[in-house]
C-alpha cells in the first residue's frame, strides 16, 4: 500500500528550499534572537543549542559555526542531551503518520523513501521503534537524508543490540550529522574549497599524461522524480598526470553533493600501443568514479591509479 496510508501525505511534499543562503559573515553579526530564529532548527526542537553557540561569534567559517553548535551540545548536561535525543521523532512513526513532523524531519524522511513503505515495512519499523525505545529510553536517530530503507533497517537491527553507553554516543553523533546537513542548507560555505585530481599509470610507473577526464554532478529531483546529472567539464591531464589548468570547482564553485569522474582509461592505453592494450575489447574502457563532497570549504583530492586491468583511488590531500 505504497501510498494508501496517511504516511504518504505529510512526507510526499518537500518544503521549498531556503533562499538565499546566509553568509558566514552575516550570521556572525546578527543579534541572538535572529541567530536563534535562523539556526534553531538545526538541532531538532532545541533552539537552546543555537542560543549558546551564538556566544562564540564571530565565526571564521561554516566549519567553525558547526563546531560552536556541536560544542554547545557536548558541553550540555546529561539531562539536556537526553532531552535533545527525545525531541527527535520515530522514523516512520506516529508523528509522521499524523503529519506532526518538523519541516526538516519531513524532508529527510521523504528523501530516504519513508513515504512509500509497504504494510510489512511499516510493521517492521513499528516493531523496531518500540524495541529500541524500550531498551534505551529515546528514539532511534539516524541521519537518513542520504540513506535508503535497506541501510536504515540494517543500522536499526545492529544498533538495537548495542550497550547503553555505546548507543548514547552513536545517537549524539547522528544528531550532529543531521545538524551539519541542515546547517549547509541555511548558510553558504566560504569559497575556500576546491577539487584536484592526479592520474598515475601503474603499468608503466609514470604519470598518465594526456588522459581525458570528465566531471559531472548529480542534481537531485525536487518533485519526487529521478535524479539527473549535470556536466561540469571535460579535462586533459598534463605531463605530471594532473588536470591542465589546475584545480576545478574553485573560487566558490565547490558545493556539497555527489560527483562522478569518468576516466577514459581505454583510450589512454590504446594510444600507448598493443603492449598496453592487448585486448580487442578493452577490459577497462571508461572508469567511472563516484564520490561525495561533504565539506565545500575543504580541499578534496580524488586521484586514480590505473593499469589496463585494475584501478584504485582514495581521498588524498
Amino acid at each position: 500500500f505504497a501510498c494508501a496510508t496517511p504516511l504518504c501525505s505529510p512526507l510526499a511534499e518537500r518544503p521549498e528550499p531556503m533562499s538565499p543562503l546566509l553568509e558566514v559573515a552575516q550570521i556572525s553579526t546578527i543579534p541572538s534572537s535572529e541567530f536563534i530564529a535562523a539556526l534553531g532548527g538545526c538541532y531538532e526542537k532545541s533552539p537552546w543549542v543555537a542560543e549558546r553557540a551564538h556566544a562564540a561569534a564571530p565565526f571564521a567559517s561554516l566549519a567553525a559555526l558547526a563546531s560552536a553548535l556541536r560544542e554547545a551540545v557536548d558541553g550540555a548536561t546529561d539531562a539536556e542531551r537526553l532531552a535533545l535525543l527525545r525531541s527527535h521523532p520515530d522514523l516512520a512513526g506516529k508523528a509522521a503518520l499524523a503529519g506532526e513532523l518538523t519541516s526538516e524531519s519531513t524532508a529527510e524522511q521523504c528523501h530516504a523513501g519513508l513515504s512509500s513503505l509497504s504494510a510489512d515495512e511499516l510493521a517492521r519499523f513499528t516493531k523496531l521503534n518500540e524495541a529500541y525505545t524500550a531498551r534505551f529510553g529515546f528514539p532511534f536517530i539516524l541521519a537518513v537524508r542520504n540513506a535508503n530503507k535497506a541501510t536504515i533497517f540494517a543500522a536499526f537491527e545492529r544498533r538495537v543490540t548495542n550497550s547503553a553507553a555505546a548507543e548514547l554516543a552513536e545517537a549524539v553523533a547522528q544528531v550532529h550529522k543531521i545538524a551539519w546537513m541542515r546547517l549547509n542548507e541555511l548558510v553558504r560555505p566560504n569559497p575556500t574549497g576546491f577539487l584536484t585530481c592526479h592520474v598515475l599509470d601503474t603499468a608503466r610507473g609514470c604519470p598518465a599524461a594526456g588522459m581525458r577526464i570528465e566531471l559531472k554532478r548529480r542534481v537531485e529531483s525536487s518533485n519526487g522524480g529521478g535524479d539527473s546529472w549535470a556536466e561540469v567539464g571535460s579535462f586533459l591531464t598534463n605531463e605530471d598526470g594532473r588536470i591542465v589548468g589546475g584545480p576545478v570547482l574553485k573560487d566558490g564553485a565547490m558545493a556539497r553533493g555527489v560527483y562522478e569522474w569518468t576516466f577514459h582509461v581505454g583510450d589512454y592505453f590504446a594510444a600507448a600501443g598493443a603492449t598496453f592494450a592487448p585486448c580487442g575489447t578493452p577490459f577497462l574502457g571508461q572508469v567511472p568514479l563516484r564520490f561525495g563532497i561533504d565539506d565545500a570549504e575543504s580541499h578534496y583530492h580524488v586521484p586514480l591509479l590505473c593499469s589496463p586491468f585494475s584501478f584504485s583511488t582514495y581521498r588524498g590531500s
Side-chain angles (χ1 to χ4, degrees):
F1 65 114
C3 282
T5 75
L7 180 63
C8 295
S9 177
L11 294 185
E13 298 295 331
R14 297 186 191 182
E16 291 297 316
M18 298 283 290
S19 180
L21 296 179
L22 295 165
E23 302 291 341
V24 174
Q26 177 186 4
I27 204 75
S28 292
T29 59
I30 60 177
S32 176
S33 59
E34 294 180 24
F35 187 91
I36 296 167
L39 304 183
C42 290
Y43 284 83
E44 186 81 4
K45 297 181 180 179
S46 301
W48 60 266
V49 179
E51 181 180 14
R52 295 180 190 180
H54 181 263
F59 308 101
S61 62
L62 181 61
L65 173 57
S67 179
L69 292 164
R70 184 185 188 101
E71 288 172 6
V73 173
D74 293 344
T77 66
D78 291 344
E80 287 172 325
R81 278 195 298 273
L82 181 58
L84 169 60
L85 298 182
R86 288 174 173 169
S87 295
H88 283 259
D90 287 335
L91 295 181
K94 293 178 181 178
L97 290 168
E100 297 173 351
L101 298 182
T102 62
S103 60
E104 294 89 353
S105 289
T106 296
E108 290 155 1
Q109 294 202 25
C110 176
H111 198 277
L114 301 188
S115 61
S116 56
L117 296 175
S118 68
D120 288 345
E121 288 170 333
L122 187 57
R124 188 178 174 191
F125 264 111
T126 300
K127 182 178 180 180
L128 286 167
N129 278 325
E130 291 174 351
Y132 183 96
T133 304
R135 180 174 174 83
F136 298 112
F138 52 83
F140 176 77
I141 301 170
L142 183 70
V144 299
R145 181 174 292 275
N146 292 321
N148 55 46
K149 288 183 282 189
T151 58
I152 295 169
F153 277 129
F156 225 144
E157 291 174 345
R158 173 184 62 82
R159 287 171 52 189
V160 76
T161 63
N162 275 350
S163 68
E167 190 51 28
L168 179 63
E170 176 68 22
V172 172
Q174 292 291 335
V175 166
H176 287 316
K177 187 175 178 181
I178 292 166
W180 167 251
M181 290 189 282
R182 292 179 178 181
L183 183 63
N184 272 268
E185 294 189 344
L186 298 170
V187 181
R188 190 188 313 280
N190 286 337
T192 53
F194 58 95
L195 173 67
T196 56
C197 184
H198 191 198
V199 187
L200 297 175
D201 177 344
T202 58
R204 294 188 286 179
C206 64
M211 183 182 292
R212 184 159 58 98
I213 310 172
E214 294 156 356
L215 179 66
K216 56 187 178 182
R217 183 177 189 273
R218 189 172 70 188
V219 179
E220 295 182 355
S221 169
S222 60
N223 58 10
D227 295 341
S228 59
W229 290 87
E231 297 295 331
V232 175
S234 181
F235 313 93
L236 281 176
T237 55
N238 60 21
E239 292 182 355
D240 192 37
R242 302 179 189 274
I243 290 176
V244 175
V248 299
L249 299 180
K250 56 186 177 180
D251 300 327
M254 188 87 145
R256 292 178 70 250
V258 178
Y259 293 80
E260 185 172 291
W261 288 121
T262 299
F263 298 89
H264 291 260
V265 172
D267 291 346
Y268 167 80
F269 282 111
T275 300
F276 298 98
C279 303
T281 300
F283 180 69
L284 295 177
Q286 297 179 358
V287 174
L289 180 58
R290 190 169 297 181
F291 60 97
I293 290 176
D294 186 58
D295 180 2
E297 293 180 330
S298 295
H299 172 203
Y300 278 69
H301 181 64
V302 186
L304 185 77
L305 290 74
C306 63
S307 77
F309 303 102
S310 65
F311 66 90
S312 63
T313 190
Y314 56 90
R315 181 184 171 187
S317 60

